[in-house]
């Protein structure tokens, strides 16, 4: 069969199976099958698919039709401009999580004065505030690294930062390590298989960053079926209320941070009010909305004694 009719019939099949964005999914899986880009699909409508390619495409479509996210079929997801490997052992990185990266970078950019004094090392007197970020010897912890997306993005943006990434799932840690190697960042990130920040040196970090599990089991029926069925449960659900991991993370982050260091973590609108309450003894607490105006990132500064 030729490429164009294969694509048309795939779109009809995914539409009939109620897969959202059927054209996008059909194209993505065909690009994956043929190892090509979208321009190639449109430039070669008459290209014959081999029997092997047809079988491969059919199998990928069948997986997608039964609800498997396209990223688990292709094994890839983009985050912060980087192509990351994903397997069912890790949460598929979401665009909202990029707000956590932006928040950290903004805190670094807006002023060294806001950071603990001993993390500053500026080699020239006249370097601009933005370039200063490259010279600050920051210590950053990424808690629950999953695919490694947060740790990798920060390692790439802050070339002098030392990053420690923690994860409770050994299978997820393997994916994070593979991603670090793939992007030549393995020497910059120290991976730890541990519960939250257990075992990391206290009062060391300028930033603790996390996208922790924050969905409550009581909200389970509001979570997309695909997420519930295919993404790792311990990555999504924290416990009955959704606050269980964050409640433990906040005091651990307090112990791990230097005075004046920042805790930055992802939240949902549902838990925004209790999170604000949990942070009442911290300074400069701010809940930052995402593009849909939903509170998405909590940031707070450990008081300077
Ligand atoms: C919401 S996912 C986030 C993954 C990744 N950071 C991201 O943003 O896509 C939460 C991650 O935390 C890990 N996790 C859950 N409980 C943990 C714990 N107590 N200690 C360390 N990691 C934990 C899960 O295995 C999962 O990889």
């Amino acid at each position: 069969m030729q490429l164009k009719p294969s694509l048309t019939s795939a779109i009809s099949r995914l539409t009939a199976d109620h897969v959202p964005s059927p054209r996008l999914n059909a194209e993505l899986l065909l690009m994956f099958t043929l190892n090509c880009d979208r321009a190639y699909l449109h430039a070669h409508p008459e290209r014959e698919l081999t029997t092997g390619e047809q079988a491969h495409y059919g199998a990928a479509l069948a997986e997608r039709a039964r609800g498997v996210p396209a990223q688990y079929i292709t094994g890839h997801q983009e985050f912060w401009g980087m192509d990351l490997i994903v397997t069912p052992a890790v949460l598929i990185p979401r665009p909202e999580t990029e707000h956590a990266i932006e928040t950290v970078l903004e805190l670094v950019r807006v002023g060294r004065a806001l950071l603990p004094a001993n993390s500053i090392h500026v080699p020239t007197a006249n370097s601009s505030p933005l370039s200063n970020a490259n010279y600050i010897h920051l210590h950053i912890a990424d808690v629950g690294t999953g695919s490694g997306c947060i740790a990798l993005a920060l390692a790439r943006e802050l070339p002098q930062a030392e990053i420690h990434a923690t994860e409770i799932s050994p299978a997820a840690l393997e994916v994070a390590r593979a991603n670090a190697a793939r992007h030549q960042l393995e020497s910059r990130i120290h991976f730890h298989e541990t519960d939250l920040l257990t075992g990391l040196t206290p009062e060391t970090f300028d930033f603790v960053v996390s996208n922790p599990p924050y969905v409550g089991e009581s909200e389970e029926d509001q979570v997309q079926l695909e997420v519930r069925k295919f993404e790792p449960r311990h990555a999504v659900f924290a416990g009955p209320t959704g606050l269980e991991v964050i409640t433990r993370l906040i005091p651990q982050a307090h112990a791990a941070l230097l005075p004046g260091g920042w805790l930055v973590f992802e939240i949902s609108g549902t838990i925004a009010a209790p999170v604000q309450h949990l942070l009442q003894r911290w300074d400069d607490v701010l809940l930052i909305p995402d593009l849909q105006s939903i509170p998405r990132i909590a940031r707070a500064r450990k008081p300077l004694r």
Side-chain angles (χ1 to χ4, degrees), residues 95-104 264 289-291 296-297:
E96 306 89 88
T97 304
E98 295 189 342
H99 292 307
I101 312 298
E102 287 159 4
T103 302
V104 172
V264 174
D290 63 17
L291 299 175
R296 185 57 64 193
I297 301 295

Side-chain angles (χ1 to χ4, degrees), residues 104 107-108 114-120 136-141 161-162 203-209 256-264 300-302:
V104 172
L107 288 169
V108 173
L114 290 176
L115 291 162
N118 62 353
S119 57
I120 309 302
I136 297 173
H137 291 188
L138 296 167
H139 288 80
I140 301 177
E162 180 177 318
E203 300 232 330
T204 308
F205 292 95
D206 304 278
F207 285 94
V208 170
V209 189
L257 284 167
L258 288 159
W262 291 92
L263 170 60
V264 174
R301 191 181 187 211
K302 176 174 170 175

Side-chain angles (χ1 to χ4, degrees), residues 205-248:
F205 292 95
D206 304 278
F207 285 94
V208 170
V209 189
S210 183
N211 174 15
Y214 57 71
V215 181
E217 281 149 8
S218 54
E219 316 165 67
E220 187 156 354
D221 53 2
Q222 292 155 48
V223 175
Q224 267 185 315
L225 188 62
E226 275 186 14
V227 176
R228 275 188 272 153
K229 270 179 82 177
F230 297 104
E231 300 211 47
R233 196 171 169 84
H234 60 271
V236 177
F237 295 99
T241 69
L243 282 167
E244 289 76 3
V245 175
I246 287 172
T247 305
R248 292 196 304 119

